[in-house]
Amino acid sequence: MTNLIQLDQSASSQFLDDYDEEDMQVKDPFFNVVDHIVFAVDCSPTMLEPNDAGEVPIREAFKCIKTVLLNKAYSNTKELVGVVLFNTAKSQNSGGYDNVYMYSPLESSSPERIKAIGQLARDDDTKFERDIGSSSAEFPLGNLFWACSDMFNSVKATQCTRRVFLITNQDNPHANNTSFASSTLQRANDLKSLDTRIELFGLNRGQHTFDVSLFYNDVIKPLVTKDDDSDSTQTQLATVGSVHDLQKQMRRRQNQKRPYFNIPFKIADGLTIGVSGYVVIKQQTRKAHVQVRASESKLQEIETVTTYQCADTGEPLLATDIKYSYPFGDTNALFTKEELLQLRQFGTPGITLLGFKPRSALMPHHNINPNGYFIYPNEKLYEGSTRTFAALLKATLDQDKIAVCHFVPRSNSSPKMAVLIPQAEELEDGAPAVPPGFNIHILPYADDIRFNFPTPDEREPNKKLVATFSAIIEDMTVKGRYDPTQYKNPALQQHYAALQSIALNEPKTTIHDDTLPDTEAIDRVIEAHQPIPF
């Protein structure tokens, strides 16, 4: 008796790259890392003063926290969020520190926590002033970092990242107290030595622009080691802007940027640097539903168990009984699981430079990978990687060239031909909006090209009609580049609104579909060019 799992043409061509059975997956700790965040919110009197638009900084901060809690509830309940307030009139923390109020411990998102934060975000609410209060008394800010450390230490987790989101509009809290400033810097370094990142959200006050260099530069700067390039990461840890921009800046930073791969980049014999690769775009999908059984007291999750049995005898099969077949003519080529895994191995992961081409040589239809990767130097793999990477990036930008490479991102990946497209850094409101580095563009093989192009119509188009459409196109051209952050997936938003309505017992909000065309504006443009000479 031979037990086979039949592979179709598409699945077998990648040797189960997309096969979803658990025992065929290559385990990677990258996918098991969770991100824990502690929000540290300044509650000094200046944070309660509305700006010219009527926006109260502390209310906007609470709105951002609510948004993050909602996102965690939608996507990953294993990622924990805590909230600690400082410069408060009342104190509440495990260390007994004055002017520090632990409002919410490091826990997973829940409807109760979302409602409580949402109440603080409302402009007509007096709960904050009544139960917590604001204080202008100076206290050692290092006590705040002690409290954050206590919150992280209260949670046992091995595969996790730890971040503190510090929101304040006071850019020099210890201007006249060097003792407090020194102790705060020491406490911040203690926190960072425990692999905790401090990320600053500095808010401008009126005409005063938040100045990171006065105090917070040293607080947020990563600890310097021989492997680190602190200057390259420091700008990523500080965001300065208006209260109005806080939501946008928070949206950019709430998701931890973890590398998808860390591999060597061989530029030439004897010249290899280290790079980290990041997934640029990944389609966001709804979280899978869970099947449950409703009992009298609570919901009980149903466990799904998959078993295999012989189609002929009905006998249950073990994993060792199963082989995998590939149809070859009128016969089957058999593989064991171990043989399939060996077929997926193509040597050591890495990037090997093959040469350069003009950027104009890359055609739009040459991209076969819808996701794409972005690479950045990694000093921990090879010392000096940042300097060499920066030199290569500048040279390709100056000459408008792209680099052609052999690319194996991971140990179970098939080799690919790729081009590295240089990308210069761009700033927005003083903060990095587009990072410097190379985008990896996967090229197709000969097997991937389809030549059944339609035959073009060689008839000459109507010149008046061309001129009319040229004018319409000019009037309807959207200025500036496409910004995906302005368009939310309406299907996801409708799903999230239904979840929020049920979980929080709130009326369901109406979802606005930003992808729908502005028909009124289009009609005005068309009418301006009537009659169209069809």
Side-chain angles (χ1 to χ4, degrees):
M1 177 182 64
T2 302
N3 303 301
L4 306 176
I5 290 182
Q6 194 83 7
L7 305 180
D8 62 22
Q9 185 73 22
S10 60
S12 61
S13 64
Q14 296 298 322
F15 293 106
L16 298 185
D17 262 351
D18 299 317
Y19 192 65
D20 60 1
E21 187 173 345
E22 184 178 356
D23 66 350
M24 293 301 295
Q25 295 297 314
V26 176
K27 304 299 181 183
D28 194 316
F30 165 81
F31 295 104
N32 299 322
V33 176
V34 294
D35 183 32
H36 298 334
I37 300 174
V38 169
F39 283 91
V41 182
D42 187 359
C43 298
S44 59
T46 56
M47 288 286 288
L48 276 67
E49 298 173 359
N51 60 12
D52 294 339
E55 298 167 324
V56 180
I58 195 169
R59 306 287 187 196
E60 297 302 314
F62 289 140
K63 290 178 183 178
C64 289
I65 297 173
K66 180 182 177 181
T67 300
V68 171
L69 286 172
L70 284 170
N71 290 338
K72 299 293 185 185
Y74 298 145
S75 58
N76 192 346
T77 55
K78 293 182 180 179
E79 297 190 333
L80 311 182
V81 178
V83 181
V84 60
L85 312 177
F86 63 100
N87 283 325
T88 56
K90 297 182 180 180
S91 304
Q92 179 178 288
N93 56 82
S94 59
Y97 310 117
D98 293 335
N99 307 111
V100 177
Y101 193 100
M102 190 184 73
Y103 181 78
S104 176
L106 203 60
E107 295 176 343
S108 59
S109 183
S110 67
E112 294 75 18
R113 298 186 69 200
I114 296 172
K115 286 182 178 180
I117 289 292
Q119 184 178 357
L120 293 179
R122 291 202 298 267
D123 294 332
D124 59 348
D125 184 67
T126 59
K127 178 178 175 58
F128 172 80
E129 290 81 358
R130 182 180 66 251
D131 296 344
I132 302 172
S134 175
S135 172
S136 58
E138 186 175 2
F139 79 103
L141 196 61
N143 290 347
L144 168 67
F145 298 132
W146 274 121
C148 292
S149 180
D150 291 341
M151 294 174 70
F152 283 121
N153 292 336
S154 66
V155 176
K156 294 182 180 180
T158 53
Q159 295 286 343
C160 72
T161 58
R162 314 197 314 177
R163 294 190 290 167
V164 175
F165 281 7
L166 180 60
I167 305 175
T168 180
N169 61 7
Q170 300 288 332
D171 54 10
N172 197 4
H174 298 317
N176 301 313
N177 195 322
T178 56
S179 176
F180 280 3
S182 177
S183 65
T184 296
L185 179 58
Q186 182 58 50
R187 296 289 81 75
N189 288 338
D190 292 341
L191 190 61
K192 289 179 287 188
S193 68
L194 300 174
D195 294 327
T196 303
R197 289 165 60 107
I198 303 174
E199 304 191 20
L200 173 69
F201 294 83
L203 304 179
N204 301 330
R205 298 198 318 269
Q207 300 301 316
H208 175 73
T209 301
F210 193 98
D211 189 350
V212 181
S213 65
L214 293 178
F215 177 75
Y216 281 104
N217 254 347
D218 292 332
V219 171
I220 65 174
K221 182 169 62 176
L223 295 179
V224 178
T225 68
K226 67 177 183 179
D227 294 324
D228 288 333
D229 180 29
S230 299
D231 292 337
S232 66
T233 58
Q234 186 170 352
T235 56
Q236 302 172 18
L237 302 179
T239 298
V240 175
S242 65
V243 175
H244 178 73
D245 294 332
L246 183 59
Q247 281 274 10
K248 180 172 67 175
Q249 301 294 352
M250 189 71 66
R251 184 168 57 246
R252 288 178 177 175
R253 303 269 288 279
Q254 65 174 297
N255 294 320
Q256 175 76 335
K257 299 174 179 62
R258 295 187 287 265
Y260 182 68
F261 56 78
N262 297 296
I263 56 177
F265 178 10
K266 182 180 179 182
I267 299 175
D269 288 339
L271 180 57
T272 300
I273 64 175
V275 294
S276 295
Y278 301 84
V279 176
V280 178
I281 296 175
K282 186 176 186 300
Q283 183 178 2
Q284 181 68 41
T285 58
R286 291 184 297 183
K287 190 175 180 180
H289 67 272
V290 177
Q291 292 180 315
V292 296
R293 173 177 177 268
S295 64
E296 295 181 357
S297 57
K298 61 179 180 179
L299 296 179
Q300 296 176 324
E301 184 175 346
I302 297 174
E303 180 181 1
T304 301
V305 179
T306 302
T307 60
Y308 293 93
Q309 66 180 28
C310 178
D312 298 328
T313 65
E315 178 185 354
L317 302 174
L318 300 176
T320 54
D321 298 326
I322 299 174
K323 296 184 183 297
Y324 303 86
S325 75
Y326 177 81
F328 186 80
D330 59 354
T331 186
N332 289 310
L334 300 182
F335 296 92
T336 65
K337 183 180 69 174
E338 291 73 19
E339 289 172 335
L340 278 181
L341 291 176
Q342 289 177 1
L343 289 171
R344 294 160 61 107
Q345 304 299 318
F346 287 90
T348 305
I351 302 174
T352 303
L353 180 63
L354 302 179
F356 298 91
K357 277 185 171 291
R359 187 188 287 258
S360 58
L362 183 65
M363 305 302 293
H365 62 273
H366 284 163
N367 185 19
I368 198 171
N369 184 13
N371 294 335
Y373 305 104
F374 176 81
I375 59 171
Y376 199 75
N378 186 328
E379 285 282 327
K380 294 183 179 181
L381 292 180
Y382 293 88
E383 189 173 352
S385 295
T386 301
R387 292 189 297 270
T388 306
F389 186 93
L392 178 62
L393 177 63
K394 187 177 187 308
T396 51
L397 285 170
D398 291 345
Q399 299 183 39
D400 198 26
K401 300 286 188 180
I402 56 177
V404 184
C405 300
H406 175 269
F407 177 46
V408 180
R410 310 178 81 180
S411 60
N412 62 319
S413 300
S414 57
K416 299 174 175 63
M417 291 289 291
V419 293
L420 307 184
I421 304 175
Q423 175 176 288
E425 182 179 30
E426 296 182 20
L427 301 178
E428 184 177 303
D429 298 328
V434 176
F438 287 98
N439 288 290
I440 298 184
H441 198 109
I442 306 300
L443 297 175
Y445 287 118
D447 317 67
D448 305 320
I449 300 297
R450 299 292 180 265
F451 291 101
N452 54 338
F453 301 120
T455 303
D457 190 341
E458 298 181 356
R459 289 179 296 177
E460 193 70 24
N462 184 301
K463 294 183 178 180
K464 289 184 178 181
L465 190 58
V466 171
T468 300
F469 273 112
S470 296
I472 291 174
I473 292 172
E474 178 66 26
D475 290 345
M476 292 180 60
T477 299
V478 179
K479 306 305 185 222
R481 64 186 179 193
Y482 172 71
D483 183 4
T485 62
Q486 301 299 318
Y487 303 95
K488 295 182 178 180
N489 185 331
L492 283 180
Q493 295 306 308
Q494 181 165 305
H495 175 69
Y496 294 156
L499 290 181
Q500 183 175 340
S501 174
I502 295 172
L504 303 183
N505 195 23
E506 297 176 346
K508 184 179 178 181
T509 57
T510 302
I511 301 302
H512 176 68
D513 188 351
D514 295 321
T515 65
L516 294 176
D518 186 348
T519 54
E520 294 183 1
I522 294 174
D523 290 343
R524 287 195 298 269
V525 172
I526 298 298
E527 290 174 2
H529 295 279
Q530 293 287 3
I532 297 178
F534 286 109

